[in-house]
Amino acid sequence: MWQLTPWSLPSLAAALISALVLARVWPLRARPGGWALAALLLAATWWSLGQLASTLLTTLDGKFLAARLQYPGITATPVAWLLFTLAYTGRAPGLLRRWALLLPVPVAVTVLAATNDLHHLVWTRAALSVHDGFTGWTLEYGPLFQVHRLWAYALVGSGILVMLAALMNSSWHRRRAALLIAAPLMVVAANVLYLLPGSPLPWIDPTPLGFALAGVLFSRVLTMELFDLVPISREQVMHDLPEAVFVLARNGRILDLNPAALRMVERTEEDAIGRPLWELIPMTREQVLELPVDAPIDLFLDLKGEERAWRTTVTDIQDPRGDTAGRAFVFHDHSDRWQVEQELRGLKDALERANQELERLTTLDALTRVPHRRAFARVAEEEIGRARRYERRLALLLISLDPLAELDATLGADAADEVIRSLATLLET
């Protein structure tokens, strides 16, 4: 037997909303947490459809069949929520890779719900109840239902704590954390409202509707592209940075430092924190306190018995009032790059000198080592042009060696060449 009743509308709305959000999330399942969120919405849709069938059926057997059909969704939603939080935040990757370890409980509970007539561990008693023309039913729950309820609350609560811890470490996400935290709290509140004695909603469990509304919140988060920005804590960023980072108070004492900084100074965290930076690094007190901010400079520091080049950046740290509360030093060891740059600079200088020498040699006469005729013609052309441009006089001196031919004939070519070289040297000096 079937019935049409307004009590079906919440379940119908929950099913439609969950399905629509699932269709929106499905193309984004490759994003962090996307596949788990899709599983969560699929489970909520299944649960809502089963509950919708329960409100439409009027026989006790029909309602029990609908209740059994709901249980794959009921047992899967808390597991999917926890997996979503782990995948989104990157916490507990080992558990996330072994997600199948969370399946035995929902599978066992689903099987026991399907075979409840044999043991009555899930429901111990059920009876139809007619109210204002609506045929509902009342249930008395068995011990397995109570155990599973605690299990589900534990999973949802763990997911909330994981999400809260990750989001609170990011100022960008902190302002949007309410959307992600309110969603599961809404679901838990709806479930508690249904199970309380004297519930104002005795005929229908609003939990699937709570999941549907949570899906709306997640959809809102998706439009903010929050899932593209996985929350990463400042501690994790500091820990993984390859550069050495020192956080100093205004007096230059170390407040915090990362593992790269500990390796740089070869100290333990207990030994380094609280000490002035100039006691661990060969810098003066004035340098530590007065180095200009946001202007990278190269410092050559003798650490571990070896001088290395460190590209150093200083940033002022401000308190909420905008006053300077300290400084952050970031040291990047670029000794290898600096050495390569020095070698390249030396090669460049040598190449320029070689080019200059080559150019000089190409303009010299092989015998006299003074500029030859082509060089003379080029210089003469330039000087004549300059004299015309500035309307200046130009003097040209011509020297002739006579009788060079007779000298060459009587004393030989070597003697003539020596005379020419001697004259060229005399003219140069």
Side-chain angles (χ1 to χ4, degrees), residues 290-303:
E290 298 176 7
L291 274 180
V293 299
D294 300 328
I297 61 173
D298 289 333
L299 296 178
F300 296 89
L301 305 176
D302 188 355
L303 297 170

Side-chain angles (χ1 to χ4, degrees), residues 250-270:
R250 284 184 296 180
N251 59 5
R253 294 186 178 273
I254 298 173
L255 299 176
D256 195 11
L257 69 171
N258 66 346
L262 292 174
R263 292 190 295 269
M264 177 182 177
V265 298
E266 294 186 315
R267 300 295 180 98
T268 63
E269 186 174 357
E270 293 77 12

Side-chain angles (χ1 to χ4, degrees), residues 107-339:
V107 171
V109 173
T110 300
V111 172
L112 291 173
T115 59
N116 185 74
D117 292 341
L118 302 177
H119 45 73
H120 301 287
L121 293 175
V122 181
W123 305 286
T124 59
R125 180 180 174 277
L128 293 175
S129 178
V130 179
H131 181 73
D132 292 337
F134 171 72
T135 302
W137 66 334
T138 57
L139 291 169
E140 292 183 4
Y141 297 102
L144 182 62
F145 178 88
Q146 305 299 339
V147 171
H148 180 261
R149 181 173 66 166
L150 295 177
W151 159 264
Y153 286 170
L155 294 184
V156 174
S158 299
I160 292 174
L161 293 177
V162 169
M163 185 70 75
L164 186 62
L167 294 176
M168 289 300 100
N169 283 321
S170 172
S171 59
W172 193 94
H173 290 81
R174 191 179 301 126
R175 297 189 296 272
R176 295 154 176 82
L179 289 176
L180 290 172
I181 301 302
L185 290 178
M186 184 183 302
V187 174
V188 173
N191 187 256
V192 171
L193 179 66
Y194 172 67
L195 295 175
L196 283 175
S199 170
L201 300 173
W203 312 116
I204 186 170
D205 182 358
T207 308
L209 182 59
F211 273 110
L213 296 178
V216 173
L217 292 181
F218 286 129
S219 175
R220 171 60 179 162
V221 171
L222 279 175
T223 61
M224 296 163 61
E225 298 184 349
L226 184 57
F227 289 161
D228 286 335
L229 302 172
V230 179
I232 302 175
S233 67
R234 290 187 177 93
E235 291 80 4
Q236 187 66 33
V237 173
M238 282 278 288
H239 185 276
D240 293 341
L241 276 177
E243 291 81 8
V245 180
F246 295 86
V247 180
L248 310 182
R250 284 184 296 180
N251 59 5
R253 294 186 178 273
I254 298 173
L255 299 176
D256 195 11
L257 69 171
N258 66 346
L262 292 174
R263 292 190 295 269
M264 177 182 177
V265 298
E266 294 186 315
R267 300 295 180 98
T268 63
E269 186 174 357
E270 293 77 12
D271 185 35
I273 290 180
R275 300 183 62 175
L277 182 61
W278 54 84
E279 290 186 3
L280 304 182
I281 293 178
M283 297 176 63
T284 65
R285 183 178 184 275
E286 289 71 21
Q287 282 181 310
V288 172
L289 300 179
E290 298 176 7
L291 274 180
V293 299
D294 300 328
I297 61 173
D298 289 333
L299 296 178
F300 296 89
L301 305 176
D302 188 355
L303 297 170
K304 307 175 186 179
E306 178 186 7
E307 186 177 71
R308 300 186 66 83
W310 296 87
R311 179 63 57 84
T312 307
T313 304
V314 183
T315 302
D316 282 340
I317 301 174
Q318 296 182 338
D319 60 20
R321 295 174 299 181
D323 299 329
T324 300
R327 315 189 92 190
F329 279 71
V330 179
F331 294 90
H332 174 67
D333 185 359
H334 73 137
S335 301
D336 295 337
R337 178 175 178 178
W338 182 84
Q339 183 65 32

